[in-house]
mmCIF file with all atom_site columns, all heavy atoms in Angstrom:
data_model
loop_
_atom_site.group_PDB
_atom_site.id
_atom_site.type_symbol
_atom_site.label_atom_id
_atom_site.label_alt_id
_atom_site.label_comp_id
_atom_site.label_asym_id
_atom_site.label_entity_id
_atom_site.label_seq_id
_atom_site.pdbx_PDB_ins_code
_atom_site.Cartn_x
_atom_site.Cartn_y
_atom_site.Cartn_z
_atom_site.occupancy
_atom_site.B_iso_or_equiv
_atom_site.pdbx_formal_charge
_atom_site.auth_seq_id
_atom_site.auth_comp_id
_atom_site.auth_asym_id
_atom_site.auth_atom_id
_atom_site.pdbx_PDB_model_num
ATOM 1  N N   . LEU A 1 95  ? 97.160  97.138  94.216 1.00 84.00 ? 940 LEU A N   1
ATOM 2  C CA  . LEU A 1 95  ? 98.142  97.880  93.426 1.00 84.00 ? 940 LEU A CA  1
ATOM 3  C C   . LEU A 1 95  ? 97.670  98.003  91.972 1.00 84.00 ? 940 LEU A C   1
ATOM 4  O O   . LEU A 1 95  ? 97.778  99.073  91.361 1.00 84.00 ? 940 LEU A O   1
ATOM 5  C CB  . LEU A 1 95  ? 99.495  97.171  93.493 1.00 84.00 ? 940 LEU A CB  1
ATOM 6  C CG  . LEU A 1 95  ? 100.737 97.971  93.183 1.00 84.00 ? 940 LEU A CG  1
ATOM 7  C CD1 . LEU A 1 95  ? 100.889 99.133  94.150 1.00 84.00 ? 940 LEU A CD1 1
ATOM 8  C CD2 . LEU A 1 95  ? 101.963 97.096  93.251 1.00 84.00 ? 940 LEU A CD2 1
ATOM 9  N N   . ILE A 1 96  ? 97.124  96.923  91.423 1.00 82.00 ? 941 ILE A N   1
ATOM 10 C CA  . ILE A 1 96  ? 96.626  96.955  90.042 1.00 82.00 ? 941 ILE A CA  1
ATOM 11 C C   . ILE A 1 96  ? 95.404  97.865  89.942 1.00 82.00 ? 941 ILE A C   1
ATOM 12 O O   . ILE A 1 96  ? 95.236  98.590  88.960 1.00 82.00 ? 941 ILE A O   1
ATOM 13 C CB  . ILE A 1 96  ? 96.323  95.528  89.533 1.00 82.00 ? 941 ILE A CB  1
ATOM 14 C CG1 . ILE A 1 96  ? 97.624  94.720  89.465 1.00 82.00 ? 941 ILE A CG1 1
ATOM 15 C CG2 . ILE A 1 96  ? 95.669  95.574  88.161 1.00 82.00 ? 941 ILE A CG2 1
ATOM 16 C CD1 . ILE A 1 96  ? 97.446  93.262  89.172 1.00 82.00 ? 941 ILE A CD1 1
ATOM 17 N N   . ARG A 1 97  ? 94.555  97.860  90.969 1.00 82.00 ? 942 ARG A N   1
ATOM 18 C CA  . ARG A 1 97  ? 93.384  98.764  90.973 1.00 82.00 ? 942 ARG A CA  1
ATOM 19 C C   . ARG A 1 97  ? 93.834  100.224 90.930 1.00 82.00 ? 942 ARG A C   1
ATOM 20 O O   . ARG A 1 97  ? 93.258  101.039 90.219 1.00 82.00 ? 942 ARG A O   1
ATOM 21 C CB  . ARG A 1 97  ? 92.524  98.540  92.211 1.00 82.00 ? 942 ARG A CB  1
ATOM 22 C CG  . ARG A 1 97  ? 91.579  97.403  92.064 1.00 82.00 ? 942 ARG A CG  1
ATOM 23 C CD  . ARG A 1 97  ? 90.505  97.407  93.147 1.00 82.00 ? 942 ARG A CD  1
ATOM 24 N NE  . ARG A 1 97  ? 89.775  96.154  93.070 1.00 82.00 ? 942 ARG A NE  1
ATOM 25 C CZ  . ARG A 1 97  ? 89.628  95.298  94.063 1.00 82.00 ? 942 ARG A CZ  1
ATOM 26 N NH1 . ARG A 1 97  ? 90.128  95.574  95.251 1.00 82.00 ? 942 ARG A NH1 1
ATOM 27 N NH2 . ARG A 1 97  ? 88.967  94.181  93.898 1.00 82.00 ? 942 ARG A NH2 1
ATOM 28 N N   . GLN A 1 98  ? 94.861  100.543 91.700 1.00 82.00 ? 943 GLN A N   1
ATOM 29 C CA  . GLN A 1 98  ? 95.385  101.919 91.696 1.00 82.00 ? 943 GLN A CA  1
ATOM 30 C C   . GLN A 1 98  ? 95.921  102.280 90.311 1.00 82.00 ? 943 GLN A C   1
ATOM 31 O O   . GLN A 1 98  ? 95.730  103.398 89.828 1.00 82.00 ? 943 GLN A O   1
ATOM 32 C CB  . GLN A 1 98  ? 96.498  102.080 92.721 1.00 82.00 ? 943 GLN A CB  1
ATOM 33 C CG  . GLN A 1 98  ? 96.020  102.137 94.143 1.00 82.00 ? 943 GLN A CG  1
ATOM 34 C CD  . GLN A 1 98  ? 97.189  102.232 95.119 1.00 82.00 ? 943 GLN A CD  1
ATOM 35 O OE1 . GLN A 1 98  ? 98.344  102.345 94.727 1.00 82.00 ? 943 GLN A OE1 1
ATOM 36 N NE2 . GLN A 1 98  ? 96.884  102.176 96.404 1.00 82.00 ? 943 GLN A NE2 1
ATOM 37 N N   . ALA A 1 99  ? 96.605  101.308 89.671 1.00 80.00 ? 944 ALA A N   1
ATOM 38 C CA  . ALA A 1 99  ? 97.176  101.556 88.343 1.00 80.00 ? 944 ALA A CA  1
ATOM 39 C C   . ALA A 1 99  ? 96.089  101.662 87.284 1.00 80.00 ? 944 ALA A C   1
ATOM 40 O O   . ALA A 1 99  ? 96.275  102.326 86.266 1.00 80.00 ? 944 ALA A O   1
ATOM 41 C CB  . ALA A 1 99  ? 98.154  100.436 87.978 1.00 80.00 ? 944 ALA A CB  1
ATOM 42 N N   . ALA A 1 100 ? 94.946  101.032 87.519 1.00 79.00 ? 945 ALA A N   1
ATOM 43 C CA  . ALA A 1 100 ? 93.853  101.048 86.544 1.00 79.00 ? 945 ALA A CA  1
ATOM 44 C C   . ALA A 1 100 ? 93.138  102.393 86.503 1.00 79.00 ? 945 ALA A C   1
ATOM 45 O O   . ALA A 1 100 ? 92.494  102.724 85.501 1.00 79.00 ? 945 ALA A O   1
ATOM 46 C CB  . ALA A 1 100 ? 92.850  99.937  86.856 1.00 79.00 ? 945 ALA A CB  1
ATOM 47 N N   . GLU A 1 101 ? 93.237  103.179 87.575 1.00 81.00 ? 946 GLU A N   1
ATOM 48 C CA  . GLU A 1 101 ? 92.596  104.491 87.601 1.00 81.00 ? 946 GLU A CA  1
ATOM 49 C C   . GLU A 1 101 ? 93.387  105.455 86.728 1.00 81.00 ? 946 GLU A C   1
ATOM 50 O O   . GLU A 1 101 ? 94.572  105.661 86.942 1.00 81.00 ? 946 GLU A O   1
ATOM 51 C CB  . GLU A 1 101 ? 92.539  105.032 89.033 1.00 81.00 ? 946 GLU A CB  1
ATOM 52 C CG  . GLU A 1 101 ? 91.597  104.279 89.929 1.00 81.00 ? 946 GLU A CG  1
ATOM 53 C CD  . GLU A 1 101 ? 91.617  104.803 91.354 1.00 81.00 ? 946 GLU A CD  1
ATOM 54 O OE1 . GLU A 1 101 ? 92.108  105.930 91.583 1.00 81.00 ? 946 GLU A OE1 1
ATOM 55 O OE2 . GLU A 1 101 ? 91.144  104.074 92.234 1.00 81.00 ? 946 GLU A OE2 1
#
Side-chain angles (χ1 to χ4, degrees):
L940 201 60
I941 295 172
R942 277 194 190 124
Q943 285 177 5
E946 291 177 17

